[in-house]
Coordinates of all heavy atoms in Angstrom, one line a residue:
M1 N -13.6 23.4 16.4 CA -13.0 22.3 17.2 C -11.7 21.9 16.5 O -11.6 21.8 15.3 CB -13.9 21.1 17.2 CG -13.4 19.9 17.9 SD -14.5 18.5 17.9 CE -15.2 18.8 19.5
T2 N -10.6 21.7 17.2 CA -9.3 21.3 16.7 C -8.9 20.0 17.3 O -9.3 19.6 18.4 CB -8.2 22.3 17.0 OG1 -8.1 22.5 18.4 CG2 -8.6 23.7 16.4
A3 N -8.1 19.3 16.5 CA -7.7 17.9 17.0 C -6.6 18.1 18.1 O -5.8 19.0 18.1 CB -7.1 17.2 15.8
D4 N -6.7 17.2 19.0 CA -5.7 17.1 20.1 C -4.4 16.5 19.6 O -3.3 16.9 20.2 CB -6.2 16.3 21.3 CG -7.4 17.0 22.0 OD1 -7.5 18.2 21.9 OD2 -8.2 16.3 22.5
L5 N -4.4 15.6 18.7 CA -3.3 14.9 18.2 C -3.4 14.7 16.7 O -4.4 14.3 16.3 CB -3.2 13.6 19.0 CG -2.0 12.7 18.6 CD1 -0.7 13.3 19.1 CD2 -2.2 11.3 19.3
I6 N -2.3 15.0 16.0 CA -2.3 14.8 14.6 C -1.1 13.9 14.3 O 0.0 14.3 14.6 CB -2.2 16.2 13.8 CG1 -3.4 17.0 14.1 CG2 -2.0 15.9 12.3 CD1 -3.3 18.4 13.5
V7 N -1.4 12.8 13.7 CA -0.3 11.9 13.3 C -0.5 11.7 11.7 O -1.4 11.2 11.2 CB -0.5 10.5 13.9 CG1 0.6 9.5 13.5 CG2 -0.5 10.6 15.5
D8 N 0.5 12.2 11.0 CA 0.5 12.2 9.6 C 1.3 11.0 9.0 O 1.9 10.2 9.8 CB 0.9 13.5 9.0 CG 2.4 13.8 9.3 OD1 3.0 13.1 10.1 OD2 2.9 14.8 8.8
F9 N 1.2 10.8 7.7 CA 1.9 9.7 7.1 C 3.4 9.7 7.4 O 4.0 8.6 7.6 CB 1.6 9.8 5.6 CG 2.2 8.6 4.8 CD1 1.6 7.4 4.8 CD2 3.4 8.8 4.1 CE1 2.2 6.3 4.1 CE2 4.0 7.7 3.4 CZ 3.4 6.5 3.4
D10 N 4.0 10.9 7.3 CA 5.5 10.9 7.6 C 5.8 10.4 9.0 O 6.9 9.8 9.1 CB 6.0 12.4 7.4 CG 5.9 12.9 5.9 OD1 5.9 12.0 5.0 OD2 5.8 14.1 5.7
N11 N 5.0 10.7 9.9 CA 5.2 10.2 11.3 C 5.1 8.7 11.3 O 6.0 8.0 12.0 CB 4.2 10.9 12.2 CG 4.6 10.7 13.7 OD1 5.6 10.1 14.0 ND2 3.8 11.2 14.6
H12 N 4.2 8.1 10.7 CA 4.0 6.7 10.6 C 5.2 6.1 9.9 O 5.8 5.0 10.3 CB 2.8 6.2 9.9 CG 1.5 6.4 10.7 ND1 1.3 5.6 11.9 CD2 0.5 7.2 10.6 CE1 0.1 6.0 12.4 NE2 -0.4 6.9 11.6
L13 N 5.7 6.7 8.8 CA 6.8 6.3 8.1 C 8.1 6.3 8.9 O 8.9 5.3 8.9 CB 7.0 7.2 6.9 CG 8.0 6.7 5.8 CD1 7.6 5.4 5.2 CD2 8.1 7.8 4.7
K14 N 8.3 7.3 9.7 CA 9.5 7.4 10.6 C 9.5 6.3 11.7 O 10.5 5.8 12.1 CB 9.5 8.8 11.3 CG 9.9 9.9 10.3 CD 9.9 11.2 11.0 CE 10.2 12.3 10.0 NZ 10.1 13.6 10.7
H15 N 8.3 5.9 12.2 CA 8.2 5.0 13.2 C 8.1 3.5 12.7 O 7.8 2.6 13.5 CB 7.1 5.3 14.2 CG 7.3 6.5 15.0 ND1 6.9 7.8 14.6 CD2 8.0 6.7 16.1 CE1 7.3 8.7 15.5 NE2 8.0 8.1 16.4
G16 N 8.2 3.3 11.4 CA 8.1 1.9 10.9 C 6.8 1.3 10.9 O 6.7 0.1 11.1
N17 N 5.7 2.1 10.6 CA 4.4 1.5 10.6 C 3.8 1.6 9.2 O 2.5 1.5 9.1 CB 3.5 2.3 11.5 CG 3.8 2.1 13.0 OD1 4.3 1.0 13.4 ND2 3.7 3.1 13.8
V18 N 4.6 1.6 8.2 CA 4.1 1.6 6.8 C 4.7 0.4 6.0 O 5.9 0.2 6.0 CB 4.5 2.9 6.1 CG1 4.0 2.9 4.6 CG2 3.9 4.1 6.8
Y19 N 3.8 -0.4 5.4 CA 4.2 -1.5 4.7 C 3.8 -1.4 3.2 O 2.7 -0.9 2.9 CB 3.5 -2.8 5.3 CG 4.1 -3.2 6.6 CD1 3.6 -2.6 7.8 CD2 5.2 -4.1 6.7 CE1 4.2 -3.0 9.0 CE2 5.7 -4.4 7.9 CZ 5.2 -3.9 9.0 OH 5.8 -4.2 10.2
L20 N 4.7 -1.9 2.4 CA 4.4 -1.9 0.9 C 3.7 -3.2 0.6 O 4.2 -4.3 0.9 CB 5.7 -1.7 0.1 CG 5.5 -1.8 -1.4 CD1 4.6 -0.7 -1.9 CD2 6.9 -1.7 -2.0
V21 N 2.5 -3.1 0.0 CA 1.8 -4.3 -0.4 C 1.6 -4.2 -1.9 O 1.1 -3.2 -2.4 CB 0.4 -4.3 0.3 CG1 -0.4 -5.6 -0.1 CG2 0.6 -4.3 1.8
E22 N 1.9 -5.3 -2.6 CA 1.7 -5.4 -4.0 C 0.6 -6.4 -4.3 O 0.7 -7.5 -3.7 CB 3.0 -5.8 -4.7 CG 4.1 -4.8 -4.5 CD 5.4 -5.3 -5.0 OE1 5.4 -6.2 -5.9 OE2 6.5 -4.8 -4.5
F23 N -0.4 -6.1 -5.1 CA -1.4 -7.0 -5.4 C -1.9 -6.9 -6.8 O -1.7 -5.9 -7.5 CB -2.6 -6.9 -4.4 CG -3.2 -5.6 -4.3 CD1 -4.4 -5.3 -5.0 CD2 -2.6 -4.6 -3.5 CE1 -4.9 -4.0 -4.9 CE2 -3.2 -3.3 -3.4 CZ -4.3 -3.1 -4.1
E24 N -2.6 -7.9 -7.3 CA -3.1 -7.9 -8.7 C -4.7 -7.8 -8.7 O -5.3 -8.5 -7.9 CB -2.7 -9.1 -9.5 CG -1.2 -9.1 -9.8 CD -0.8 -10.3 -10.7 OE1 -1.7 -11.0 -11.2 OE2 0.4 -10.5 -10.9
L25 N -5.2 -7.0 -9.6 CA -6.6 -7.0 -9.8 C -7.0 -7.2 -11.2 O -6.2 -6.9 -12.1 CB -7.1 -5.6 -9.4 CG -7.0 -5.1 -8.0 CD1 -7.3 -3.6 -7.9 CD2 -7.9 -5.9 -7.1
E26 N -8.2 -7.8 -11.4 CA -8.7 -8.0 -12.8 C -9.4 -6.8 -13.2 O -10.1 -6.1 -12.4 CB -9.6 -9.2 -12.9 CG -8.9 -10.5 -12.9 CD -9.9 -11.7 -13.2 OE1 -11.1 -11.5 -13.2 OE2 -9.4 -12.8 -13.5
W27 N -9.3 -6.5 -14.5 CA -10.1 -5.3 -15.1 C -10.4 -5.6 -16.5 O -9.8 -6.4 -17.2 CB -9.4 -4.0 -14.9 CG -8.1 -3.9 -15.7 CD1 -6.9 -4.4 -15.3 CD2 -7.9 -3.4 -17.0 NE1 -5.9 -4.1 -16.2 CE2 -6.5 -3.6 -17.3 CE3 -8.7 -2.9 -17.9 CZ2 -6.0 -3.2 -18.5 CZ3 -8.2 -2.5 -19.1 CH2 -6.8 -2.6 -19.4
Q28 N -11.5 -5.0 -17.0 CA -11.9 -5.1 -18.4 C -12.4 -3.7 -18.8 O -13.0 -3.0 -18.1 CB -13.2 -6.0 -18.5 CG -12.9 -7.5 -18.2 CD -14.1 -8.3 -18.3 OE1 -14.9 -8.3 -17.4 NE2 -14.3 -9.0 -19.4
D29 N -12.0 -3.4 -20.1 CA -12.4 -2.1 -20.7 C -13.9 -2.2 -21.1 O -14.6 -1.2 -21.0 CB -11.6 -1.8 -21.9 CG -10.2 -1.3 -21.5 OD1 -10.1 -0.7 -20.4 OD2 -9.3 -1.4 -22.3
H30 N -14.3 -3.4 -21.5 CA -15.7 -3.6 -22.0 C -16.1 -5.0 -21.6 O -15.2 -5.9 -21.6 CB -15.7 -3.4 -23.5 CG -17.1 -3.4 -24.1 ND1 -17.8 -4.5 -24.4 CD2 -17.9 -2.3 -24.3 CE1 -19.0 -4.2 -24.9 NE2 -19.1 -2.9 -24.8
P31 N -17.4 -5.2 -21.3 CA -17.8 -6.6 -20.9 C -17.4 -7.7 -21.9 O -17.3 -8.9 -21.6 CB -19.3 -6.5 -20.7 CG -19.5 -5.1 -20.4 CD -18.5 -4.3 -21.2
D32 N -17.3 -7.3 -23.2 CA -17.0 -8.3 -24.2 C -15.5 -8.6 -24.3 O -15.1 -9.6 -24.9 CB -17.5 -7.8 -25.6 CG -19.0 -7.7 -25.6 OD1 -19.7 -8.4 -24.8 OD2 -19.5 -6.9 -26.5
D33 N -14.7 -7.8 -23.7 CA -13.2 -8.0 -23.8 C -12.8 -9.1 -22.8 O -13.4 -9.3 -21.8 CB -12.5 -6.7 -23.4 CG -12.6 -5.6 -24.5 OD1 -13.0 -6.0 -25.6 OD2 -12.4 -4.4 -24.2
A34 N -11.6 -9.6 -23.1 CA -11.1 -10.6 -22.2 C -10.5 -9.9 -20.9 O -10.0 -8.8 -21.1 CB -9.9 -11.4 -22.9
P35 N -10.6 -10.5 -19.8 CA -10.1 -9.8 -18.6 C -8.6 -9.7 -18.6 O -7.9 -10.6 -19.0 CB -10.6 -10.7 -17.4 CG -11.2 -11.9 -18.0 CD -11.3 -11.7 -19.5
N36 N -8.1 -8.6 -18.1 CA -6.7 -8.3 -18.0 C -6.4 -8.2 -16.5 O -7.3 -8.1 -15.7 CB -6.3 -7.0 -18.7 CG -6.4 -7.2 -20.2 OD1 -6.1 -8.2 -20.8 ND2 -6.9 -6.1 -20.8
T37 N -5.1 -8.1 -16.2 CA -4.7 -7.9 -14.8 C -3.9 -6.6 -14.7 O -3.2 -6.3 -15.6 CB -3.9 -9.1 -14.2 OG1 -2.8 -9.3 -14.9 CG2 -4.8 -10.3 -14.1
I38 N -4.0 -6.0 -13.6 CA -3.1 -4.8 -13.3 C -2.5 -5.0 -11.9 O -3.1 -5.5 -11.0 CB -4.0 -3.5 -13.3 CG1 -3.1 -2.3 -13.2 CG2 -5.1 -3.5 -12.3 CD1 -3.8 -1.0 -13.4
T39 N -1.2 -4.7 -11.8 CA -0.5 -4.8 -10.5 C -0.6 -3.4 -9.8 O -0.3 -2.4 -10.5 CB 0.9 -5.2 -10.8 OG1 0.9 -6.4 -11.5 CG2 1.7 -5.3 -9.4
V40 N -0.9 -3.4 -8.6 CA -1.1 -2.2 -7.8 C -0.1 -2.3 -6.6 O 0.0 -3.3 -5.9 CB -2.6 -2.1 -7.3 CG1 -2.7 -0.8 -6.5 CG2 -3.5 -2.1 -8.4
D41 N 0.6 -1.1 -6.4 CA 1.4 -1.0 -5.2 C 0.6 -0.1 -4.2 O 0.1 1.0 -4.6 CB 2.7 -0.3 -5.5 CG 3.6 -1.2 -6.3 OD1 3.3 -2.4 -6.5 OD2 4.6 -0.7 -6.8
D42 N 0.5 -0.5 -3.0 CA -0.2 0.4 -2.0 C 0.6 0.4 -0.7 O 1.2 -0.6 -0.3 CB -1.6 -0.3 -1.7 CG -2.6 0.7 -1.2 OD1 -2.2 1.9 -0.9 OD2 -3.7 0.3 -1.0
Y43 N 0.6 1.6 -0.1 CA 1.3 1.8 1.2 C 0.2 1.7 2.3 O -0.8 2.4 2.2 CB 2.0 3.1 1.3 CG 3.1 3.2 0.3 CD1 3.0 3.9 -0.9 CD2 4.4 2.6 0.5 CE1 4.0 4.0 -1.8 CE2 5.4 2.7 -0.4 CZ 5.2 3.4 -1.6 OH 6.3 3.4 -2.5
V44 N 0.4 0.8 3.2 CA -0.6 0.5 4.2 C 0.0 0.9 5.6 O 1.1 0.4 5.9 CB -1.1 -0.9 4.2 CG1 -2.1 -1.2 5.3 CG2 -1.6 -1.3 2.8
I45 N -0.7 1.6 6.4 CA -0.3 2.0 7.7 C -0.8 0.9 8.6 O -2.1 0.7 8.8 CB -0.8 3.3 8.2 CG1 -0.3 4.4 7.3 CG2 -0.5 3.6 9.6 CD1 -0.9 5.8 7.5
A46 N 0.1 0.1 9.2 CA -0.3 -1.0 10.1 C 0.9 -1.3 11.0 O 2.1 -1.1 10.6 CB -0.6 -2.2 9.3
P47 N 0.7 -1.9 12.2 CA 1.8 -2.2 13.1 C 2.6 -3.5 12.7 O 3.7 -3.7 13.2 CB 1.1 -2.4 14.4 CG -0.3 -2.8 14.1 CD -0.6 -2.1 12.8
N48 N 2.0 -4.3 11.8 CA 2.7 -5.5 11.4 C 2.2 -5.9 10.0 O 1.2 -5.5 9.5 CB 2.5 -6.7 12.4 CG 1.1 -7.0 12.6 OD1 0.3 -7.3 11.6 ND2 0.7 -7.0 13.8
P49 N 3.0 -6.8 9.3 CA 2.6 -7.2 7.9 C 1.3 -8.0 7.8 O 0.6 -7.9 6.8 CB 3.8 -8.0 7.4 CG 4.6 -8.4 8.6 CD 4.3 -7.4 9.6
D50 N 1.0 -8.7 8.9 CA -0.3 -9.5 8.8 C -1.5 -8.6 8.8 O -2.5 -8.8 8.1 CB -0.4 -10.4 10.1 CG 0.7 -11.5 10.1 OD1 1.1 -11.9 8.9 OD2 1.2 -11.8 11.1
L51 N -1.5 -7.5 9.6 CA -2.6 -6.6 9.6 C -2.6 -5.8 8.3 O -3.7 -5.5 7.7 CB -2.5 -5.6 10.8 CG -3.6 -4.6 10.9 CD1 -5.0 -5.4 11.0 CD2 -3.4 -3.7 12.1
A52 N -1.5 -5.5 7.7 CA -1.4 -4.8 6.4 C -2.1 -5.7 5.3 O -2.9 -5.2 4.5 CB 0.0 -4.5 6.0
Q53 N -1.8 -7.0 5.4 CA -2.5 -8.0 4.4 C -4.0 -8.0 4.7 O -4.8 -8.0 3.7 CB -1.9 -9.3 4.5 CG -2.5 -10.3 3.6 CD -1.8 -11.7 3.6 OE1 -0.8 -11.9 4.3 NE2 -2.4 -12.7 3.0
Y54 N -4.4 -8.0 5.9 CA -5.8 -8.1 6.2 C -6.5 -6.8 5.7 O -7.6 -6.9 5.1 CB -6.0 -8.2 7.7 CG -7.5 -8.1 8.1 CD1 -8.3 -9.1 7.9 CD2 -8.0 -6.9 8.7 CE1 -9.7 -9.0 8.3 CE2 -9.3 -6.8 9.0 CZ -10.1 -7.8 8.8 OH -11.5 -7.7 9.2
I55 N -5.9 -5.7 5.9 CA -6.5 -4.4 5.4 C -6.7 -4.4 3.9 O -7.7 -4.1 3.4 CB -5.6 -3.2 5.8 CG1 -5.7 -3.0 7.3 CG2 -6.1 -1.9 5.1 CD1 -4.7 -2.1 7.9
I56 N -5.7 -4.9 3.1 CA -5.8 -4.9 1.7 C -6.8 -5.9 1.2 O -7.6 -5.7 0.3 CB -4.4 -5.3 1.0 CG1 -3.5 -4.1 1.2 CG2 -4.6 -5.6 -0.4 CD1 -3.9 -2.8 0.5
T57 N -6.9 -7.1 1.9 CA -7.9 -8.1 1.4 C -9.3 -7.7 1.8 O -10.2 -8.1 1.2 CB -7.6 -9.5 2.1 OG1 -7.5 -9.4 3.5 CG2 -6.3 -10.1 1.5
T58 N -9.4 -6.8 2.8 CA -10.7 -6.3 3.2 C -11.1 -5.2 2.2 O -12.3 -5.1 1.7 CB -10.7 -5.7 4.6 OG1 -10.3 -6.7 5.5 CG2 -12.1 -5.2 5.0
L59 N -10.2 -4.3 1.8 CA -10.5 -3.2 0.9 C -10.7 -3.8 -0.6 O -11.5 -3.2 -1.3 CB -9.3 -2.2 0.9 CG -9.2 -1.3 2.1 CD1 -8.0 -0.5 2.0 CD2 -10.5 -0.4 2.2
Y60 N -9.9 -4.8 -0.9 CA -9.9 -5.3 -2.3 C -10.2 -6.8 -2.2 O -9.3 -7.6 -2.4 CB -8.6 -5.1 -3.0 CG -8.3 -3.6 -3.1 CD1 -7.3 -3.0 -2.2 CD2 -8.8 -2.8 -4.1 CE1 -7.0 -1.7 -2.3 CE2 -8.5 -1.4 -4.2 CZ -7.6 -0.9 -3.3 OH -7.3 0.4 -3.3
P61 N -11.4 -7.2 -1.9 CA -11.7 -8.7 -1.8 C -11.5 -9.5 -3.0 O -11.3 -10.7 -3.0 CB -13.1 -8.7 -1.3 CG -13.7 -7.4 -1.7 CD -12.6 -6.4 -1.7
D62 N -11.5 -8.8 -4.2 CA -11.4 -9.6 -5.5 C -10.0 -9.6 -6.0 O -9.7 -10.0 -7.1 CB -12.3 -8.9 -6.5 CG -13.7 -8.9 -6.2 OD1 -14.1 -9.9 -5.5 OD2 -14.5 -8.0 -6.6
C63 N -9.0 -9.3 -5.1 CA -7.6 -9.3 -5.6 C -7.2 -10.8 -5.9 O -7.6 -11.7 -5.2 CB -6.7 -8.6 -4.6 SG -6.4 -9.4 -3.1
I64 N -6.4 -10.9 -6.9 CA -6.0 -12.3 -7.4 C -4.8 -12.7 -6.6 O -4.8 -13.8 -6.0 CB -5.6 -12.2 -8.9 CG1 -6.8 -11.8 -9.7 CG2 -5.1 -13.6 -9.3 CD1 -6.5 -11.5 -11.1
G65 N -3.7 -12.0 -6.5 CA -2.5 -12.3 -5.8 C -2.1 -11.2 -4.9 O -2.4 -10.0 -5.2
I66 N -1.4 -11.5 -3.8 CA -1.0 -10.4 -2.9 C 0.4 -10.8 -2.4 O 0.7 -11.9 -2.1 CB -2.1 -10.3 -1.8 CG1 -1.7 -9.1 -0.9 CG2 -2.2 -11.5 -0.9 CD1 -2.8 -8.7 0.1
F67 N 1.2 -9.7 -2.3 CA 2.5 -9.9 -1.7 C 2.8 -8.7 -0.7 O 2.7 -7.5 -1.1 CB 3.6 -9.9 -2.8 CG 5.0 -9.9 -2.2 CD1 5.5 -11.1 -1.7 CD2 5.8 -8.8 -2.2 CE1 6.8 -11.1 -1.2 CE2 7.1 -8.8 -1.7 CZ 7.6 -9.9 -1.2
V68 N 3.0 -9.0 0.5 CA 3.3 -8.0 1.5 C 4.8 -8.1 1.9 O 5.3 -9.2 2.2 CB 2.4 -8.3 2.8 CG1 2.7 -7.2 3.9 CG2 1.0 -8.3 2.5
H69 N 5.5 -7.0 1.8 CA 6.9 -6.9 2.2 C 6.9 -7.2 3.8 O 6.2 -6.5 4.5 CB 7.5 -5.6 1.8 CG 7.6 -5.5 0.4 ND1 8.8 -5.6 -0.3 CD2 6.7 -5.2 -0.6 CE1 8.6 -5.5 -1.6 NE2 7.4 -5.2 -1.8
E70 N 7.8 -8.0 4.2 CA 7.9 -8.4 5.6 C 8.4 -7.3 6.5 O 8.0 -7.2 7.7 CB 8.7 -9.6 5.8 CG 8.1 -10.9 5.2 CD 6.8 -11.3 6.0 OE1 6.8 -11.2 7.2 OE2 5.9 -11.7 5.3
E71 N 9.2 -6.4 6.0 CA 9.8 -5.3 6.7 C 9.1 -4.0 6.4 O 8.7 -3.8 5.2 CB 11.3 -5.2 6.4 CG 12.1 -6.3 6.9 CD 12.1 -6.6 8.4 OE1 12.2 -5.5 9.1 OE2 12.1 -7.7 8.8
P72 N 8.9 -3.1 7.3 CA 8.3 -1.8 7.0 C 9.2 -1.1 6.0 O 10.4 -1.2 6.1 CB 8.1 -1.1 8.3 CG 8.9 -1.9 9.3 CD 9.2 -3.2 8.7
I73 N 8.6 -0.3 5.2 CA 9.3 0.5 4.3 C 10.0 1.7 5.0 O 9.5 2.2 5.9 CB 8.4 1.1 3.1 CG1 9.3 1.6 2.0 CG2 7.4 2.1 3.6 CD1 8.5 1.7 0.7
T74 N 11.3 2.0 4.6 CA 12.0 3.0 5.2 C 11.8 4.3 4.5 O 11.2 4.4 3.4 CB 13.5 2.7 5.2 OG1 13.9 2.7 3.8 CG2 13.9 1.4 5.8
E75 N 12.1 5.4 5.2 CA 12.0 6.7 4.6 C 12.7 6.8 3.3 O 12.2 7.4 2.3 CB 12.4 7.8 5.5 CG 11.6 8.0 6.7 CD 12.1 9.1 7.6 OE1 11.8 10.3 7.3 OE2 12.9 8.8 8.5
Y76 N 13.9 6.3 3.3 CA 14.7 6.4 2.0 C 14.1 5.6 0.9 O 14.1 6.0 -0.2 CB 16.2 5.9 2.3 CG 17.0 6.0 1.1 CD1 17.6 7.2 0.7 CD2 17.3 4.9 0.3 CE1 18.4 7.3 -0.4 CE2 18.1 5.0 -0.8 CZ 18.6 6.2 -1.2 OH 19.4 6.3 -2.3
A77 N 13.6 4.3 1.2 CA 13.0 3.5 0.2 C 11.8 4.1 -0.3 O 11.5 4.1 -1.5 CB 12.7 2.1 0.7
Y78 N 11.0 4.8 0.5 CA 9.8 5.5 0.1 C 10.1 6.6 -0.8 O 9.5 6.8 -1.9 CB 9.0 5.9 1.3 CG 7.7 6.7 0.9 CD1 6.6 6.1 0.4 CD2 7.7 8.1 1.0 CE1 5.5 6.8 0.0 CE2 6.6 8.9 0.7 CZ 5.5 8.2 0.2 OH 4.4 8.9 -0.2
A79 N 11.1 7.4 -0.4 CA 11.5 8.6 -1.2 C 12.1 8.1 -2.6 O 11.8 8.7 -3.6 CB 12.6 9.4 -0.5
A80 N 12.8 7.0 -2.6 CA 13.4 6.5 -3.8 C 12.3 6.0 -4.8 O 12.4 6.2 -6.0 CB 14.4 5.4 -3.6
R81 N 11.2 5.5 -4.2 CA 10.1 5.0 -5.1 C 9.1 6.0 -5.5 O 8.5 6.0 -6.6 CB 9.3 3.9 -4.3 CG 10.1 2.6 -4.2 CD 9.3 1.5 -3.4 NE 8.0 1.3 -4.1 CZ 7.8 0.3 -4.9 NH1 8.8 -0.5 -5.3 NH2 6.6 0.0 -5.4
R82 N 8.8 7.0 -4.6 CA 7.7 7.9 -4.9 C 7.9 9.4 -4.7 O 7.8 10.1 -5.6 CB 6.5 7.5 -4.0 CG 6.0 6.1 -4.1 CD 5.1 6.0 -5.4 NE 4.6 4.7 -5.4 CZ 4.6 4.0 -6.5 NH1 5.2 4.4 -7.6 NH2 4.1 2.8 -6.5
N83 N 8.4 9.8 -3.5 CA 8.4 11.1 -3.1 C 9.8 11.6 -2.8 O 10.2 11.5 -1.7 CB 7.4 11.4 -1.9 CG 7.3 12.8 -1.6 OD1 7.9 13.7 -2.2 ND2 6.5 13.1 -0.6
R84 N 10.5 12.1 -3.8 CA 11.9 12.4 -3.6 C 12.1 13.7 -2.7 O 13.2 14.0 -2.3 CB 12.6 12.6 -4.9 CG 12.6 11.3 -5.7 CD 13.3 11.4 -7.0 NE 13.1 10.3 -7.8 CZ 13.8 9.2 -7.8 NH1 14.7 9.0 -6.8 NH2 13.5 8.2 -8.6
S85 N 11.0 14.4 -2.4 CA 11.2 15.6 -1.6 C 11.5 15.3 -0.1 O 11.9 16.2 0.6 CB 9.9 16.5 -1.7 OG 8.8 15.8 -1.1
I86 N 11.4 14.1 0.3 CA 11.6 13.8 1.7 C 13.1 13.8 2.0 O 13.6 14.2 3.0 CB 11.0 12.4 2.1 CG1 9.5 12.4 2.1 CG2 11.5 11.9 3.4 CD1 8.9 11.1 2.3
L87 N 13.9 13.4 1.0 CA 15.4 13.3 1.2 C 16.0 14.7 1.4 O 15.7 15.6 0.9 CB 16.1 12.6 0.0 CG 15.7 11.2 -0.2 CD1 16.4 10.6 -1.4 CD2 16.1 10.4 1.0

């Protein structure tokens, strides 16, 4: 069986459906250690920033702080941050 339609990440990126979400999580190396925080950047496929925030808060309910970029990430911005092979 083959798929009738394949939509990959690059296609979502070209159509403006990818948002950059930055959030903080607590972590500990050992239960006796003091908790630390780590900042995580995640690319979320969503039609708007509100849905991107909902997806992250559903996937990571224990996140401390969350920041969703209001504008979708562009191909150039994505390439500059992560994958330079797109340019």
Side-chain angles (χ1 to χ4, degrees):
M1 176 179 264
T2 60
D4 293 333
L5 179 67
I6 298 173
V7 180
D8 60 355
F9 182 80
D10 292 336
N11 194 2
H12 284 293
L13 191 61
K14 286 178 186 176
H15 289 94
N17 293 327
V18 179
Y19 289 86
L20 176 61
V21 182
E22 301 171 21
F23 56 97
E24 289 186 10
L25 296 171
E26 281 189 350
W27 63 275
Q28 289 178 285
D29 285 334
H30 190 272
D32 296 336
D33 292 343
N36 293 318
T37 60
I38 185 170
T39 303
V40 180
D41 293 348
D42 202 354
Y43 296 101
V44 180
I45 297 171
N48 58 53
D50 296 325
L51 185 57
Q53 180 175 351
Y54 173 76
I55 291 169
I56 289 298
T57 56
T58 301
L59 290 173
Y60 304 98
D62 298 332
C63 70
I64 299 168
I66 187 167
F67 176 74
V68 180
H69 292 256
E70 291 295 320
E71 296 296 320
I73 194 160
T74 64
E75 289 179 87
Y76 181 78
Y78 176 76
R81 288 180 57 93
R82 300 283 183 229
N83 185 358
R84 298 183 190 276
S85 67
I86 293 176
L87 293 179

